[in-house]
Amino acid sequence: MSRCAWPLLRRLQARAGLALRHGGGAPRARPVASSASSSSSASSGDGGASRAPDTSLFVPVPLKPGLGGAAEEDVGAELTRPLDKGEVLKNLNKFYKRKEIQRLGAENGLDARLFHQAFISFRKYIMESSSVSADLHIILNDICCGFFLLGHVDDLFPFFLRHAKQIFPMLDCMDDLRKISDLRLPPNWYPDARAIQRKIIFHAGPTNSGKTYHAIQRFLSAKSGIYCGPLKLLAHEIFQKSNDANVPCDLVTGEERVFANEDARQAPHVACTIEMCSTNTPYEVAVIDEIQMIRDPARGWAWTRALLGLCAEEIHICGEPAAIDLVTELMYTTGEEVEVRNYQRLTPLTVLDYALESLDNLRPGDCIVCFSKNDIYSVSRQIEARGLECAVIYGSLPPGTKLEQAKKFNDPDDPCKILVATDAIGMGLNLCIRRIIFNSIVKPTVNEKGEKEIDSITTSQALQIAGRAGRFGSSFRQGEVTTMHREDLAQLRDILSDAVPPVKAAGLHPTPEQIEMFAYHLPDATLSNLIDIFVSLSQVDGMYFVCNIDDFKFLADMIQHIPLNLRSRYVFCTAPLNRKEPFVCTTLLKFARQFSRNEPVTFDWLCRHTKWPLAAPKNIKELVHLEAVHDVFDLYLWLSYRFMDMFPDAALVRDIQKKLDDIIQIGVCNITKLIRASQSAAAPGTAEVVSEDFPLSRTQKDARVVSERHSAASAEALSIAVEAAGLRRAKNSRPSRLGGRQEELKSYGRGSLANRLLREGLLTQEMLRQLESEWQDQHRNGRHGFGSKRDDQHSSKETRKKRK
């Protein structure tokens, strides 16, 4: 039988691109390798700027072994003989160890990681298959039989490479994938905008300089126009101003469409959030507000898209002078010149020489800025304990509640004269503030890699917030800014005096069309994996960066198991929600599941899910839940404008959302009562009301600053000591302030971290007192860091004795 197999073997080998070996050790797979190699090198040289892909993102497609059966006859075994799997395994392992094979794999795009994964899959496929293809069976048989002139382990390479391309389909289409993910010429994505010569006018100036006012005046005088802002509140403000000035203007946000005309005809003017602007509709004037946000790690792509893609005869750009150079460079690539109009602040802003130091020193018109919800709760309760009313504004409040709180604070006849807010007041709200008081100058941020950090506020952030004081046209003709704590004041002054660093790059984001083309080439990849591969292969020049996609990937992974078409899946993954809110994320999952079953998400279904109607909150936890329910209603409305037939009850949901807004307003007005109720329900002395991803920013920053000045061995222990004792500004501490430090220890010894550690049994009162004592001793002795190893051992023994 085997003699009859030789002619067939030769035909099979010729079809596989093999040549018979007449001696020597050179692999016969060379012709196949060279052709694939030239293709790979051409890909790597495309544009001269392509980079090696991150192969850790390549997920192998599972291949089921051939199980054979009565209907499938093993032709290879009939022509030769059944394979000895033990001998096959030995020869496969020899194949894997061959340096020539590894080199051939590298030339065909298989780095060490992919080569290993492909071999494991190839070996498993062969060993677990009851039958393999006839040509592979015959090659394996000749190798195992020792027919040196006809079989060598190197002859397995074409079959191995074919298998590798089956489990890693991107190897066969790398050139196409690189072209799809080439992001080096974003201006070419907008042919309609490139077909006209646009006039670009940059209105540059600080907060409260009138730059946006002048741009809006041109917007109102035009025959048609579009305003693009970063917030719904800003879009709503322009919408109202336009219609009040008898200029019909529509409102378009992710969750809402409001027509100026009763018959729902489109008005010539539109105010929208920047993600919702149309790049196909022609306008006479377009206004792009807060252009410096083009550098935002998550949303910067929306400003890039508007700047490059809006079809308007005039583009009026408003923002910080730090963005002038980048905008000029970007417009140079489109052949458009930029006219810069500079503005100065309309009212003076003074940095005071003294800190507030005590809430007893508050005056009407003061705004205390915090960067933590817990700080908001704590400060507002202390203010009302002094018999003063305060308004509260923070980011997760609904827009309607923010406006009502702002109205309450601005009303000269209202007894509420103090505002406690986060940096949410930096834009979108008109507030009559006399003095901005920074409760802290550190805040949690997310860097370009999507990593969470806690650091000092930037000059841009500080100017944006401080600039809200002394608004032009308010009752205060000048603004003042200071800090709550004396030791922060010098640093705030330095931050405000620094020049704002220039904006260096504009954000980009993969479009649905690009992801669809990727999916065509990689049909078995998940959406999250498609995005990862896209970003790893993407090429951008120095003026652009790819925006952070962690939120997108989080949602993609969350709904991956739900059967959806790619376009619908992409839309669900771009939904604007806070992934830190479990209730909102769970709701999105249920929405997607209903959608996949082609079952409309009705008003009744939503009411059952959210347990509507809801009562006024009795504590902070209930208030936070109501805010999450409001976000769920926003999510429903957002999806209703993309899948109208599947989310059909937008009008009903908008009605109950307004009612929920009123309920939340009641809770915010009684926030101190809610705080007291929450604390009375918790352990005595509890300071932390709502757990957050970031601890109180001030304490966390102090621990980090102190840690930098100590050895790595003591950093963790020192950080715990500082946080537990509630120390402030350890970086600037001096022996002369020791008395003040002791007072701080007494007043802050029961801070949130200390209480948490006490509740969890990780810290005792004795241990806390010992930490305080050791910290004080070290500063008396002028030492930085914990004592010697002997001292540490001694203190540990003492602690154990006290525990006993």
PDB file of all heavy atoms in Angstrom, residues 377-396:
ATOM      1  N   TYR A 377     -20.084  66.491  52.067  1.00  0.00           N
ATOM      2  CA  TYR A 377     -21.004  66.172  53.154  1.00  0.00           C
ATOM      3  C   TYR A 377     -20.509  66.752  54.483  1.00  0.00           C
ATOM      4  O   TYR A 377     -21.265  67.334  55.249  1.00  0.00           O
ATOM      5  CB  TYR A 377     -21.166  64.659  53.291  1.00  0.00           C
ATOM      6  CG  TYR A 377     -21.724  63.971  52.068  1.00  0.00           C
ATOM      7  CD1 TYR A 377     -21.339  62.679  51.733  1.00  0.00           C
ATOM      8  CD2 TYR A 377     -22.653  64.609  51.244  1.00  0.00           C
ATOM      9  CE1 TYR A 377     -21.842  62.042  50.622  1.00  0.00           C
ATOM     10  CE2 TYR A 377     -23.169  63.978  50.125  1.00  0.00           C
ATOM     11  CZ  TYR A 377     -22.763  62.695  49.822  1.00  0.00           C
ATOM     12  OH  TYR A 377     -23.263  62.062  48.723  1.00  0.00           O
ATOM     13  N   SER A 378     -19.227  66.568  54.752  1.00  0.00           N
ATOM     14  CA  SER A 378     -18.657  67.012  56.018  1.00  0.00           C
ATOM     15  C   SER A 378     -18.719  68.534  56.163  1.00  0.00           C
ATOM     16  O   SER A 378     -19.166  69.070  57.192  1.00  0.00           O
ATOM     17  CB  SER A 378     -17.204  66.534  56.141  1.00  0.00           C
ATOM     18  OG  SER A 378     -16.592  67.053  57.288  1.00  0.00           O
ATOM     19  N   VAL A 379     -18.287  69.241  55.134  1.00  0.00           N
ATOM     20  CA  VAL A 379     -18.250  70.709  55.203  1.00  0.00           C
ATOM     21  C   VAL A 379     -19.659  71.277  55.301  1.00  0.00           C
ATOM     22  O   VAL A 379     -19.926  72.197  56.097  1.00  0.00           O
ATOM     23  CB  VAL A 379     -17.503  71.283  53.979  1.00  0.00           C
ATOM     24  CG1 VAL A 379     -17.666  72.793  53.906  1.00  0.00           C
ATOM     25  CG2 VAL A 379     -16.025  70.919  54.034  1.00  0.00           C
ATOM     26  N   SER A 380     -20.587  70.755  54.495  1.00  0.00           N
ATOM     27  CA  SER A 380     -21.953  71.296  54.524  1.00  0.00           C
ATOM     28  C   SER A 380     -22.603  71.085  55.891  1.00  0.00           C
ATOM     29  O   SER A 380     -23.332  71.959  56.391  1.00  0.00           O
ATOM     30  CB  SER A 380     -22.800  70.654  53.426  1.00  0.00           C
ATOM     31  OG  SER A 380     -22.858  69.246  53.588  1.00  0.00           O
ATOM     32  N   ARG A 381     -22.319  69.958  56.524  1.00  0.00           N
ATOM     33  CA  ARG A 381     -22.900  69.716  57.853  1.00  0.00           C
ATOM     34  C   ARG A 381     -22.308  70.681  58.883  1.00  0.00           C
ATOM     35  O   ARG A 381     -23.027  71.226  59.726  1.00  0.00           O
ATOM     36  CB  ARG A 381     -22.645  68.273  58.280  1.00  0.00           C
ATOM     37  CG  ARG A 381     -23.256  67.972  59.643  1.00  0.00           C
ATOM     38  CD  ARG A 381     -23.108  66.537  60.044  1.00  0.00           C
ATOM     39  NE  ARG A 381     -23.721  66.320  61.360  1.00  0.00           N
ATOM     40  CZ  ARG A 381     -23.724  65.164  62.003  1.00  0.00           C
ATOM     41  NH1 ARG A 381     -23.156  64.118  61.451  1.00  0.00           N
ATOM     42  NH2 ARG A 381     -24.283  65.050  63.183  1.00  0.00           N
ATOM     43  N   GLN A 382     -20.998  70.917  58.793  1.00  0.00           N
ATOM     44  CA  GLN A 382     -20.362  71.844  59.740  1.00  0.00           C
ATOM     45  C   GLN A 382     -20.882  73.268  59.558  1.00  0.00           C
ATOM     46  O   GLN A 382     -21.031  74.020  60.527  1.00  0.00           O
ATOM     47  CB  GLN A 382     -18.845  71.818  59.543  1.00  0.00           C
ATOM     48  CG  GLN A 382     -18.185  70.512  59.978  1.00  0.00           C
ATOM     49  CD  GLN A 382     -16.692  70.537  59.725  1.00  0.00           C
ATOM     50  OE1 GLN A 382     -15.993  71.411  60.224  1.00  0.00           O
ATOM     51  NE2 GLN A 382     -16.202  69.583  58.940  1.00  0.00           N
ATOM     52  N   ILE A 383     -21.173  73.639  58.303  1.00  0.00           N
ATOM     53  CA  ILE A 383     -21.692  74.987  58.045  1.00  0.00           C
ATOM     54  C   ILE A 383     -23.084  75.144  58.652  1.00  0.00           C
ATOM     55  O   ILE A 383     -23.385  76.137  59.338  1.00  0.00           O
ATOM     56  CB  ILE A 383     -21.712  75.264  56.530  1.00  0.00           C
ATOM     57  CG1 ILE A 383     -20.283  75.417  56.002  1.00  0.00           C
ATOM     58  CG2 ILE A 383     -22.527  76.515  56.223  1.00  0.00           C
ATOM     59  CD1 ILE A 383     -20.199  75.517  54.495  1.00  0.00           C
ATOM     60  N   GLU A 384     -23.934  74.171  58.417  1.00  0.00           N
ATOM     61  CA  GLU A 384     -25.297  74.278  58.935  1.00  0.00           C
ATOM     62  C   GLU A 384     -25.333  74.136  60.452  1.00  0.00           C
ATOM     63  O   GLU A 384     -26.259  74.613  61.106  1.00  0.00           O
ATOM     64  CB  GLU A 384     -26.201  73.261  58.251  1.00  0.00           C
ATOM     65  CG  GLU A 384     -26.331  73.513  56.759  1.00  0.00           C
ATOM     66  CD  GLU A 384     -27.619  72.987  56.154  1.00  0.00           C
ATOM     67  OE1 GLU A 384     -28.446  72.462  56.919  1.00  0.00           O
ATOM     68  OE2 GLU A 384     -27.792  73.124  54.932  1.00  0.00           O
ATOM     69  N   ALA A 385     -24.321  73.466  61.023  1.00  0.00           N
ATOM     70  CA  ALA A 385     -24.231  73.399  62.483  1.00  0.00           C
ATOM     71  C   ALA A 385     -23.970  74.772  63.081  1.00  0.00           C
ATOM     72  O   ALA A 385     -24.237  75.010  64.262  1.00  0.00           O
ATOM     73  CB  ALA A 385     -23.115  72.437  62.886  1.00  0.00           C
ATOM     74  N   ARG A 386     -23.450  75.701  62.266  1.00  0.00           N
ATOM     75  CA  ARG A 386     -23.204  77.070  62.706  1.00  0.00           C
ATOM     76  C   ARG A 386     -24.392  77.984  62.434  1.00  0.00           C
ATOM     77  O   ARG A 386     -24.273  79.212  62.523  1.00  0.00           O
ATOM     78  CB  ARG A 386     -21.950  77.616  62.008  1.00  0.00           C
ATOM     79  CG  ARG A 386     -20.664  76.996  62.532  1.00  0.00           C
ATOM     80  CD  ARG A 386     -19.486  77.273  61.608  1.00  0.00           C
ATOM     81  NE  ARG A 386     -18.204  76.965  62.228  1.00  0.00           N
ATOM     82  CZ  ARG A 386     -17.703  75.749  62.364  1.00  0.00           C
ATOM     83  NH1 ARG A 386     -18.395  74.711  61.908  1.00  0.00           N
ATOM     84  NH2 ARG A 386     -16.536  75.561  62.947  1.00  0.00           N
ATOM     85  N   GLY A 387     -25.500  77.396  62.032  1.00  0.00           N
ATOM     86  CA  GLY A 387     -26.702  78.184  61.811  1.00  0.00           C
ATOM     87  C   GLY A 387     -26.777  78.850  60.451  1.00  0.00           C
ATOM     88  O   GLY A 387     -27.593  79.743  60.238  1.00  0.00           O
ATOM     89  N   LEU A 388     -25.923  78.413  59.490  1.00  0.00           N
ATOM     90  CA  LEU A 388     -25.902  78.997  58.157  1.00  0.00           C
ATOM     91  C   LEU A 388     -26.505  78.021  57.158  1.00  0.00           C
ATOM     92  O   LEU A 388     -26.361  76.797  57.290  1.00  0.00           O
ATOM     93  CB  LEU A 388     -24.466  79.331  57.735  1.00  0.00           C
ATOM     94  CG  LEU A 388     -23.695  80.291  58.642  1.00  0.00           C
ATOM     95  CD1 LEU A 388     -22.243  80.388  58.180  1.00  0.00           C
ATOM     96  CD2 LEU A 388     -24.349  81.673  58.636  1.00  0.00           C
ATOM     97  N   GLU A 389     -27.173  78.552  56.152  1.00  0.00           N
ATOM     98  CA  GLU A 389     -27.690  77.713  55.062  1.00  0.00           C
ATOM     99  C   GLU A 389     -26.668  77.659  53.949  1.00  0.00           C
ATOM    100  O   GLU A 389     -25.963  78.646  53.682  1.00  0.00           O
ATOM    101  CB  GLU A 389     -29.006  78.280  54.517  1.00  0.00           C
ATOM    102  CG  GLU A 389     -30.221  77.906  55.335  1.00  0.00           C
ATOM    103  CD  GLU A 389     -31.507  78.186  54.573  1.00  0.00           C
ATOM    104  OE1 GLU A 389     -31.589  77.777  53.386  1.00  0.00           O
ATOM    105  OE2 GLU A 389     -32.410  78.817  55.148  1.00  0.00           O
ATOM    106  N   CYS A 390     -26.585  76.511  53.291  1.00  0.00           N
ATOM    107  CA  CYS A 390     -25.651  76.401  52.162  1.00  0.00           C
ATOM    108  C   CYS A 390     -26.289  75.618  51.027  1.00  0.00           C
ATOM    109  O   CYS A 390     -27.107  74.727  51.253  1.00  0.00           O
ATOM    110  CB  CYS A 390     -24.337  75.744  52.588  1.00  0.00           C
ATOM    111  SG  CYS A 390     -24.446  74.016  53.073  1.00  0.00           S
ATOM    112  N   ALA A 391     -25.917  75.981  49.815  1.00  0.00           N
ATOM    113  CA  ALA A 391     -26.307  75.221  48.619  1.00  0.00           C
ATOM    114  C   ALA A 391     -25.197  74.216  48.314  1.00  0.00           C
ATOM    115  O   ALA A 391     -24.035  74.427  48.664  1.00  0.00           O
ATOM    116  CB  ALA A 391     -26.514  76.163  47.443  1.00  0.00           C
ATOM    117  N   VAL A 392     -25.581  73.126  47.663  1.00  0.00           N
ATOM    118  CA  VAL A 392     -24.632  72.046  47.387  1.00  0.00           C
ATOM    119  C   VAL A 392     -24.706  71.680  45.905  1.00  0.00           C
ATOM    120  O   VAL A 392     -25.801  71.454  45.372  1.00  0.00           O
ATOM    121  CB  VAL A 392     -24.929  70.799  48.253  1.00  0.00           C
ATOM    122  CG1 VAL A 392     -24.023  69.645  47.858  1.00  0.00           C
ATOM    123  CG2 VAL A 392     -24.761  71.120  49.726  1.00  0.00           C
ATOM    124  N   ILE A 393     -23.549  71.643  45.249  1.00  0.00           N
ATOM    125  CA  ILE A 393     -23.484  71.253  43.831  1.00  0.00           C
ATOM    126  C   ILE A 393     -22.306  70.304  43.639  1.00  0.00           C
ATOM    127  O   ILE A 393     -21.182  70.613  44.035  1.00  0.00           O
ATOM    128  CB  ILE A 393     -23.299  72.481  42.914  1.00  0.00           C
ATOM    129  CG1 ILE A 393     -24.513  73.404  42.997  1.00  0.00           C
ATOM    130  CG2 ILE A 393     -23.075  72.037  41.467  1.00  0.00           C
ATOM    131  CD1 ILE A 393     -24.360  74.706  42.214  1.00  0.00           C
ATOM    132  N   TYR A 394     -22.589  69.128  43.070  1.00  0.00           N
ATOM    133  CA  TYR A 394     -21.507  68.209  42.700  1.00  0.00           C
ATOM    134  C   TYR A 394     -21.890  67.485  41.416  1.00  0.00           C
ATOM    135  O   TYR A 394     -23.027  67.544  40.952  1.00  0.00           O
ATOM    136  CB  TYR A 394     -21.185  67.223  43.833  1.00  0.00           C
ATOM    137  CG  TYR A 394     -22.358  66.473  44.416  1.00  0.00           C
ATOM    138  CD1 TYR A 394     -22.807  65.280  43.856  1.00  0.00           C
ATOM    139  CD2 TYR A 394     -23.006  66.948  45.554  1.00  0.00           C
ATOM    140  CE1 TYR A 394     -23.866  64.588  44.400  1.00  0.00           C
ATOM    141  CE2 TYR A 394     -24.081  66.263  46.105  1.00  0.00           C
ATOM    142  CZ  TYR A 394     -24.503  65.090  45.534  1.00  0.00           C
ATOM    143  OH  TYR A 394     -25.572  64.401  46.073  1.00  0.00           O
ATOM    144  N   GLY A 395     -20.900  66.824  40.824  1.00  0.00           N
ATOM    145  CA  GLY A 395     -21.030  66.338  39.455  1.00  0.00           C
ATOM    146  C   GLY A 395     -22.166  65.378  39.191  1.00  0.00           C
ATOM    147  O   GLY A 395     -22.797  65.427  38.135  1.00  0.00           O
ATOM    148  N   SER A 396     -22.457  64.453  40.126  1.00  0.00           N
ATOM    149  CA  SER A 396     -23.455  63.420  39.850  1.00  0.00           C
ATOM    150  C   SER A 396     -24.886  63.883  40.079  1.00  0.00           C
ATOM    151  O   SER A 396     -25.825  63.117  39.863  1.00  0.00           O
ATOM    152  CB  SER A 396     -23.179  62.184  40.723  1.00  0.00           C
ATOM    153  OG  SER A 396     -23.201  62.509  42.095  1.00  0.00           O
TER     154      SER A 396
END
